[in-house]
């Protein structure tokens, strides 16, 4: 068990290149405040 | 591990808030909470230029060999799991056609307004031109335009904007009905939103919005004296009393809207200025009115405007965000809880990388339509004739201008390539960059500073919710 570091969220932006890009999500107008709709 | 060529400043961000040592791995989007030895190990690594062995020696000298080995083993495991020390993914061209795919429009149904807000970027409603209303003919053509130009996209968006859109409510109603019919014929859907100052938000309007699943952004700046100083009627009298009453009526009928602006939702949205640097009190005031979905934004102002931010305001604003984050946490799961738009950070199911690189979409996915049918990159460029990109009747969009905006992503902005927030803000607001630096590739510095502060607060909230 890790003793010194707690991972709050494990993410992998690189992987979303393959799974994302559909363009169906809401136009943000902070893009990071959005969610993926898939 | 060999991290000697790793750019710590550009690819990791660590900060302390509320007793938490928080570390963001910028390129993966992973978020961690470190204890003191681990955080110091990271710091030593950065100071040693990534020299792993030397950093271990420094930590061992302070915490002992066993503790140092534990810490560095955990760091190594996170690196192997690709959630720490990850490399920049590099530019990934979104897999969209080169021709602009316009899926969202901001319909300026009224270049007129019943308020005279001091800071209005629309020049108190007329965008520097004649006061005018959009005809239903122009509006219908704009809807045909977005349904056609969205090509293969199924979800289109239409925002009713102004000025104040409710001064042209008859046309709004007509366009919603027309839009629904035309979208159904095209096998698409249109999500309608309406941005209003709430002066005319009476029962008839509220019923219409509810019956038609229209999401609403309502403008209110917070405490009565704050709101009325900046948002008077044309005769100079304050608007708080009437507007706050209408908003209370509206929000009391809303059922658990999504904080992420998905589905049908509302947000009560204020503007803060140099006059209310303690804007956290305004957010809490609005939450006290029953507004559970709140967003406040820094004013867009010329440097010599009396309400513009000044040197020295930034630390005060940062303190306000910190207080707001703590109030947000203290009220979670109580009857007084509220959502603050910029504290929503869905790290696990956030936008894909192509979306983060396409940014807000202004100019190539999203356009604003003025009352006469002219097209602009977004609502903040309306009236700037050098940015006019076409009109809804010709159906043509200036491809060079669209490409200029599409190319204004973080890898083409020198100041963004090394910024830890680059995959969250996507390079910031083009209009702010243009207004302050006359160049959409040069981000607005104060906007960047506030953006980073909001993101830190959002990450702090994530950590506190996870580890207490």
């Amino acid at each position: 068990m890790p003793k010194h570091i707690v991972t709050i969220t494990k993410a992998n932006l690189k992987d979303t290149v393959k799974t994302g890009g559909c363009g169906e999500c809401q136009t943000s107008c902070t893009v990071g405040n959005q969610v993926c709709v898939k | 591990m060999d991290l000697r060529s790793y750019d710590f400043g550009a690819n990791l961000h660590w900060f302390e808030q509320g007793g938490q040592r928080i570390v963001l791995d910028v390129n993966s989007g992973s978020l961690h909470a470190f204890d003191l030895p681990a955080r110091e190990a990271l710091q030593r690594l950065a100071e040693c230029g990534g020299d792993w062995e030397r950093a271990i020696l420094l930590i061992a000298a302070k915490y002992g060999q066993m503790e140092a080995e534990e810490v560095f083993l955990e760091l190594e495991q996170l690196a192997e799991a690709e959630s720490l020390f990850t490399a920049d993914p590099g530019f990934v061209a979104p897999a969209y056609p080169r021709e602009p795919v316009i899926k969202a429009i901001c319909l300026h149904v009224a270049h007129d307004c019943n308020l005279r807000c001091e800071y209005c970027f629309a020049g108190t409603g007329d965008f520097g031109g004649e006061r005018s209303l959009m005809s239903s003919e122009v509006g219908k053509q704009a809807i045909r335009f977005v349904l056609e130009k969205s090509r293969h996209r199924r979800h289109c968006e239409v925002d009713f904007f102004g000025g104040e859109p409710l001064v042209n409510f008859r046309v709004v109603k007509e366009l919603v009905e027309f839009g629904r019919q035309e979208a159904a014929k095209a096998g698409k859907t249109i999500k309608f939103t309406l941005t209003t100052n709430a002066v005319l938000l009476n029962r008839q309007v509220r019923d219409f919005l509810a019956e038609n699943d229209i999401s609403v952004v309502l403008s209110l700046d917070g405490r009565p004296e704050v709101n009325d100083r900046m948002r008077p009627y044309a005769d100079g009298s304050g608007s708080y009393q009437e507007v706050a009453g209408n908003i209370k009526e509206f929000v009391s009928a809303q059922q658990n809207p999504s904080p992420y602006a998905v589905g049908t939702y509302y947000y009560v949205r204020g503007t803060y200025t140099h006059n209310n640097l303690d804007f956290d009190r305004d957010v809490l005031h609005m939450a006290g009115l029953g507004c559970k979905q709140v967003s406040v934004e820094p004013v867009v102002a010329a440097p010599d405007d009396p309400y513009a931010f000044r040197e020295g305001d930034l630390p005060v604003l940062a303190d306000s965000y910190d207080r707001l984050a703590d109030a947000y946490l203290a009220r979670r799961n109580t009857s007084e809880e509220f959502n603050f738009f910029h504290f929503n950070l869905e790290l696990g199911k956030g936008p894909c990388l192509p979306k983060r690189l396409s940014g807000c979409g202004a100019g190539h996915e999203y356009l604003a339509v003025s009352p006469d049918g002219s097209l602009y990159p977004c609502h903040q460029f309306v009236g700037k004739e050098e940015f006019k990109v076409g009109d809804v009747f010709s159906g043509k969009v200036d491809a060079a201008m669209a490409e200029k905006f599409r190319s204004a992503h973080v890898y083409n902005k020198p100041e963004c390539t090394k910024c830890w927030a680059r995959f969250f803000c996507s390079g910031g607001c083009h209009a702010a960059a243009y207004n302050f630096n006359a160049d959409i590739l040069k981000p607005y510095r104060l906007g960047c500073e506030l953006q980073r502060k909001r993101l830190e607060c959002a990450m702090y909230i994530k950590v506190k919710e996870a580890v207490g």
Side-chain angles (χ1 to χ4, degrees):
Chain A
M1 275 292 285
K3 179 178 152 191
H4 299 279
I5 302 169
V6 178
T7 294
I8 307 300
T9 308
K10 178 171 168 32
N12 194 336
L13 263 185
K14 199 172 55 178
D15 280 0
T16 67
V17 175
K18 291 172 231 156
T19 57
C22 70
E24 296 289 2
C25 50
Q26 165 111 343
T27 303
S28 54
C29 197
T30 311
V31 175
N33 288 140
Q34 304 292 119
V35 285
C36 177
V37 294
K38 267 187 166 176
Chain B
M1 278 196 70
D2 187 357
L3 292 172
R4 278 171 294 188
S5 60
Y6 185 75
D7 187 336
F8 284 81
N11 298 314
L12 279 179
H13 179 58
W14 62 87
F15 64 100
E16 280 194 39
Q17 187 164 339
Q20 299 293 334
R21 298 171 198 89
I22 300 165
V23 178
L24 171 73
D25 184 67
V26 172
N27 299 311
S28 69
S30 298
L31 187 69
H32 312 279
F34 277 41
D35 71 1
L36 187 58
R39 209 287 313 279
E40 278 193 32
L42 209 52
Q43 217 159 332
R44 297 291 164 264
L45 270 170
E47 289 164 1
C48 298
D51 187 331
W52 192 264
E53 301 307 324
R54 183 164 158 63
I56 292 178
L57 288 174
L58 289 168
I59 293 300
K62 182 166 182 181
Y63 293 100
Q65 186 65 28
M66 187 182 288
E67 187 121 25
E69 285 177 8
E70 281 176 357
V71 166
F72 280 83
L73 177 62
E74 286 187 35
L75 291 174
E76 199 160 14
Q77 287 169 339
L78 287 173
E80 284 169 6
E82 296 192 317
S83 58
L84 196 66
F85 306 130
T86 56
D88 190 299
F91 177 64
V92 180
Y96 307 153
R98 298 308 294 169
E99 190 182 321
V101 177
I102 311 297
K103 63 155 186 176
I105 51 173
C106 180
L107 276 187
H108 289 229
V109 290
H111 273 190
D112 198 0
C113 191
N114 37 22
L115 294 184
R116 294 291 181 272
C117 303
E118 296 278 341
Y119 47 55
C120 184
F121 64 73
T124 70
D126 60 13
F127 284 81
E130 295 287 309
R131 293 188 181 274
S132 58
L133 301 180
M134 180 179 282
S135 67
S136 61
E137 286 70 31
V138 169
K140 286 176 179 176
Q141 186 58 29
I143 285 171
R144 291 187 197 102
F145 171 86
V146 75
L147 288 171
E148 180 193 334
K149 294 295 179 185
S150 55
R151 296 166 52 148
H152 58 287
R153 301 279 175 80
R154 289 195 55 249
H155 298 97
C156 298
E157 300 155 32
V158 174
D159 182 38
F160 294 109
F161 198 66
E164 170 49 46
L166 292 182
V167 303
N168 200 7
F169 185 46
R170 179 186 61 79
V171 166
V172 169
K173 287 193 293 186
E174 221 176 305
L175 294 181
V176 169
E177 185 179 357
F178 178 79
R180 294 259 189 260
Q181 291 168 352
E182 293 298 303
K185 281 187 214 166
K188 300 189 178 211
T189 61
I190 295 179
K191 176 176 178 173
F192 288 103
T193 52
L194 182 137
T195 302
T196 176
N197 62 28
V199 170
L200 298 173
L201 190 64
N202 57 29
R203 174 175 292 278
Q204 181 201 1
V205 174
R206 291 199 305 268
D207 289 348
F208 171 79
L209 296 171
E211 286 160 11
N212 287 279
D213 294 328
I214 296 176
S215 297
V216 187
V217 178
L218 306 126
S219 299
L220 180 71
D221 283 357
R223 292 164 288 180
E225 64 277 16
V226 169
N227 183 83
D228 286 351
R229 184 171 180 177
M230 300 306 286
R231 303 182 64 82
Y233 287 109
D235 67 4
S237 62
S239 60
Y240 176 88
Q241 193 163 11
E242 188 165 18
V243 166
N246 288 344
I247 288 177
K248 277 175 78 168
E249 287 269 354
F250 177 85
V251 300
S252 66
Q254 305 301 308
Q255 303 290 327
N256 301 322
S258 159
Y260 288 101
V262 173
T264 304
Y265 64 90
Y266 78 86
Y267 260 96
V268 178
R269 182 258 193 239
T271 297
Y272 65 81
T273 73
H274 176 74
N275 298 333
N276 63 319
L277 300 176
D278 59 348
F279 63 82
D280 56 304
R281 295 177 63 189
D282 294 294
V283 172
L284 298 183
H285 175 84
M286 293 191 277
L289 294 175
C291 306
K292 299 296 186 188
Q293 312 288 335
V294 183
S295 178
V296 295
E297 315 300 336
V299 71
V300 177
D304 54 353
D305 283 329
Y307 47 81
F309 298 117
R310 298 164 197 176
E311 281 301 320
D313 283 353
L314 189 60
V316 184
L317 293 171
D319 287 347
S320 295
Y321 278 118
D322 286 343
R323 285 195 303 269
L324 187 59
D326 285 329
Y328 174 96
L329 284 164
R331 293 181 178 210
R332 294 302 275 171
N333 303 317
T334 75
S335 61
E336 293 184 307
E337 74 175 345
F338 64 94
N339 275 306
F340 183 67
F341 181 68
H342 290 292
F343 289 170
N344 298 330
L345 206 58
E346 187 49 77
L347 292 162
K349 202 176 176 336
C352 59
L353 189 59
K355 167 76 173 180
R356 291 169 195 260
L357 294 179
S358 65
C360 64
H364 62 99
E365 281 190 319
Y366 165 59
L367 295 176
V369 186
S370 71
D372 67 359
S374 297
L375 294 166
Y376 296 88
C378 85
H379 54 288
Q380 290 205 64
F381 284 101
V382 168
K384 291 181 169 67
E385 289 311 303
E386 67 273 31
F387 281 97
K388 182 176 167 180
V389 296
D391 69 82
V392 295
F393 291 101
S394 75
K396 290 190 171 67
V397 176
D398 181 337
M401 187 71 85
E403 188 54 35
K404 177 179 175 168
F405 275 80
R406 191 210 295 262
S407 301
H409 53 68
V410 292
Y411 289 106
N412 281 337
K413 296 183 176 184
E415 289 161 65
C416 298
T417 54
K418 300 288 185 186
C419 173
W420 65 264
R422 60 188 178 273
F423 296 128
F424 291 99
C425 82
S426 301
C429 174
H430 301 310
Y434 181 76
N435 289 338
F436 284 90
N437 299 318
D439 184 347
I440 66 170
L441 294 178
K442 287 187 180 166
Y444 165 46
R445 189 186 63 84
L446 181 66
C448 296
E449 297 280 6
L450 293 171
Q451 180 77 274
R452 287 190 281 259
K453 182 62 205 173
R454 289 193 297 256
L455 285 166
E456 284 188 348
C457 286
M459 290 173 194
Y460 163 64
I461 286 168
K462 284 285 180 200
V463 170
K464 286 291 279 185
E465 287 178 334
V467 303

